[in-house]
Amino acid sequence: MVSSYEDRRPARAATEGVPFVVIPDTPSVLVTVTDSAFREVAHAMGTIDTVLPAGIYRIEQRFGGEVESRFVEVGPEPFTERLRLPGLPTPTPVEGTPTTRADHRAAAARWSTRTTYGDGSPTLMVLIRNLRSGWQLDPYALEIAGPDGRPVDGGARGWEPSGGEEWSAWSGELPPGGYRLRTRRMPADGLPLAQALHVLEGWTTLVFVSNGPQGPQPQFASVHMVRRGTGWTPADRAFDLALEAALSGLRQGIDLVPTRHLLELVRSGNDNPFLGIVGAHALLLHPAPDLGQVHGVLRNLVHLAPVQPDIAALCTLIGEPVEPVTSPPMLAASCRLLVGADTADPGILEDGSPAESVAAHLVGRGVWTTWLEQERLPEPGARSVAGRAGTDPVAPGDAAGPGQSRGLDPVGRVQRYVREVASVEGRSVDDVLSSMPPKDLCRRTGLPHRAVDRAIEELRSPPGE
């Protein structure tokens, strides 16, 4: 008796396999499939479409810093699985994420077109969002200051808090240029940190800040740009999620978004220049980045924003000429590009500018350009300046006491580095300086050329000579 196709189907599925399709909620999800012996059988950014034998499989998806997995059974029938987005908390109220709120989206839409401080159409909006009910939100915890460190947000009266401690907004019309975001009160650790913002002619910069159990977390902020007067709208959920994934990748130093989607981000610069900036930096995380992929699009970004410092930083990477940069870029990756360019071509960071000062006092605190504000440092000996892990820009023992100002000074950091090299290698300081060109010192210390030049001059001409 000849068996029917229905009878033979389980055996065929076990040997030849059946169609196996996994569709994540957004293309920016990394999907990995392993079999019952924990061997990887499929791996892709976005949808997986393959053929697998019947059996038990584990499907893992990664989005940003979140990981979720599940076990599934594949039988003789074609298998299709749709994955819900992993529970990634996002500072931006993106629909479909666990931290979205209708009232938060309404606040973003309202205050991106209306000012809480002054008149006119806003060019900058900062929205602090409580991501979990019950956490205390200080509506006046953050402060916006100009390039000279003086507040420009009008103090507490410039902010618009919600009635139930769920959000707080600031929006106002500020001239184009560089600004800084910081906590209004001196931090308990004594390290007054500031974070770079930039206002672009014709655009509104939108900064979404999550509020955590210890207060606002600007180091985990998300930034968008919209044409001035149009306001924020959750128009393209896929782009919003891709931006969050790309920022998470920059924080971790790994590629978390497929190239195809990144190129879409870069090309979206006409509608949101910051999407293009982040997309270009994320492309550079690839093991062998193709600069040609972003070259033409960067030309378009330059046309939109010729003086935007993050765009200027990317232009130095592809050999495009740029004017000396005076304002710090928003992304730390951009700041590092500018320091490298300044090493090769002194003056890319304009001497004496806020951009140069920020680059000389940069601290490692996530994806954004963050620095130690010299204007708000306690007086030497006034109190201990004990840095938290990952934020202290000076070595232990240099953070307090009479030598505090020299320890925090980038010139002093270069000099300390040279003396340590001389001590370890048993050579004189002059010998080390003769064998180490200034460009090498810039590269090794991560500091702009002017601080290194001053350090070399002082080392070769000690005080009193």
Side-chain angles (χ1 to χ4, degrees):
M1 181 177 181
V2 179
S3 61
S4 67
Y5 175 79
E6 292 294 327
D7 296 330
R8 297 193 305 269
R9 187 165 53 188
R12 292 173 61 89
T15 57
E16 299 179 13
V18 297
F20 181 94
V21 179
V22 177
I23 306 171
D25 200 24
T26 176
S28 300
V29 172
L30 174 64
V31 182
T32 303
V33 181
T34 54
D35 63 15
S36 56
F38 302 104
R39 294 183 297 250
E40 183 179 302
V41 296
H43 179 94
M45 294 292 294
T47 298
I48 284 180
D49 187 351
T50 187
V51 174
L52 293 176
I56 303 296
Y57 294 91
R58 179 175 181 266
I59 301 174
E60 178 186 271
Q61 58 171 336
R62 294 174 178 265
F63 178 74
E66 300 297 314
V67 181
E68 288 185 359
S69 63
R70 69 183 69 180
F71 288 95
V72 297
E73 182 178 4
V74 176
E77 301 292 340
F79 178 89
T80 300
E81 184 85 353
R82 293 184 177 274
L83 305 178
R84 295 186 61 183
L85 186 73
L88 178 73
T90 59
T92 308
V94 182
E95 293 194 49
T97 59
T99 53
T100 189
R101 291 273 301 271
D103 57 331
H104 293 186
R105 293 197 298 272
R110 177 183 179 88
W111 298 116
S112 57
T113 56
R114 298 179 58 182
T115 58
T116 66
Y117 179 62
D119 300 318
S121 176
T123 58
L124 175 67
M125 181 200 78
V126 177
L127 180 66
I128 311 172
R129 300 179 54 228
N130 218 356
L131 299 190
R132 180 177 297 179
S133 297
W135 283 347
Q136 184 176 358
L137 188 151
D138 179 355
Y140 315 114
L142 294 181
E143 182 176 70
I144 302 162
D148 59 358
R150 296 180 182 177
V152 297
D153 62 351
R157 71 180 186 277
W159 289 76
E160 178 75 21
S162 68
E165 290 191 348
E166 295 302 322
W167 56 264
S168 181
W170 186 93
S171 61
E173 183 180 8
L174 297 177
Y179 295 87
R180 59 183 75 177
L181 184 66
R182 64 194 184 196
T183 56
R184 193 174 302 276
R185 299 182 182 88
M186 180 68 71
D189 59 14
L191 289 177
L193 301 178
Q195 190 166 305
L197 299 177
H198 194 85
V199 170
L200 188 60
E201 181 72 40
W203 299 82
T204 303
T205 300
L206 312 176
V207 185
F208 296 91
V209 179
S210 60
N211 184 64
Q214 305 301 321
Q217 301 171 307
Q219 67 271 30
F220 300 123
S222 288
V223 174
H224 293 250
M225 288 182 184
V226 295
R227 292 189 182 276
R228 187 176 177 185
T230 61
W232 179 82
T233 56
D236 196 319
R237 177 173 174 269
F239 270 2
D240 288 343
L241 290 173
L243 174 62
E244 296 295 337
L247 287 173
S248 180
L250 288 177
R251 290 186 187 101
Q252 302 174 63
I254 56 177
D255 170 26
L256 292 178
V257 184
T259 299
R260 174 182 57 80
H261 213 167
L262 283 175
L263 289 174
E264 292 174 359
L265 277 182
V266 173
R267 294 179 184 125
S268 69
N270 281 326
D271 300 316
N272 182 345
F274 208 70
L275 279 179
I277 292 166
V278 172
H281 275 291
L283 279 171
L284 297 175
L285 292 175
H286 286 239
D290 184 355
L291 297 181
Q293 291 180 322
V294 298
H295 189 277
V297 182
L298 281 178
R299 288 183 180 274
N300 187 46
L301 287 175
V302 170
H303 175 72
L304 287 171
V307 297
Q308 211 284 342
D310 290 274
I311 295 176
L314 289 165
C315 286
T316 66
L317 189 67
I318 61 174
E320 286 286 317
V322 296
E323 295 295 322
V325 176
T326 59
S327 297
M330 286 190 281
L331 284 170
S334 298
C335 197
R336 290 190 292 269
L337 286 178
L338 288 173
V339 171
D342 187 73
T343 298
D345 183 12
I348 290 293
L349 289 169
E350 186 170 291
D351 290 351
S353 68
E356 188 211 32
S357 176
V358 165
H361 298 94
L362 198 67
V363 298
R365 200 182 186 222
V367 71
W368 304 109
T369 296
T370 306
W371 70 96
L372 192 64
E373 285 188 297
Q374 303 303 293
E375 306 94 330
R376 296 205 298 166
L377 277 175
E379 290 297 322
R383 61 175 295 176
S384 173
V385 183
R388 293 170 297 184
T391 64
D392 189 354
V394 297
D398 286 335
Q404 179 181 10
S405 61
R406 178 84 303 184
L408 295 173
D409 178 13
V411 174
R413 290 161 55 190
V414 176
Q415 292 175 349
R416 187 174 64 248
Y417 175 80
V418 171
R419 291 189 177 108
E420 287 175 353
V421 171
S423 175
V424 169
E425 298 182 358
R427 297 193 289 163
S428 68
V429 167
D430 285 340
D431 189 25
V432 172
L433 292 177
S434 297
S435 63
M436 190 178 297
K439 288 185 178 181
D440 279 356
L441 267 178
C442 290
R443 178 178 55 82
R444 296 187 185 196
T445 59
L447 290 169
H449 81 95
R450 197 166 73 138
V452 171
D453 291 344
R454 286 178 54 202
I456 293 174
E457 181 180 358
E458 290 185 14
L459 284 170
R460 285 179 170 161
S461 303
E465 290 190 5

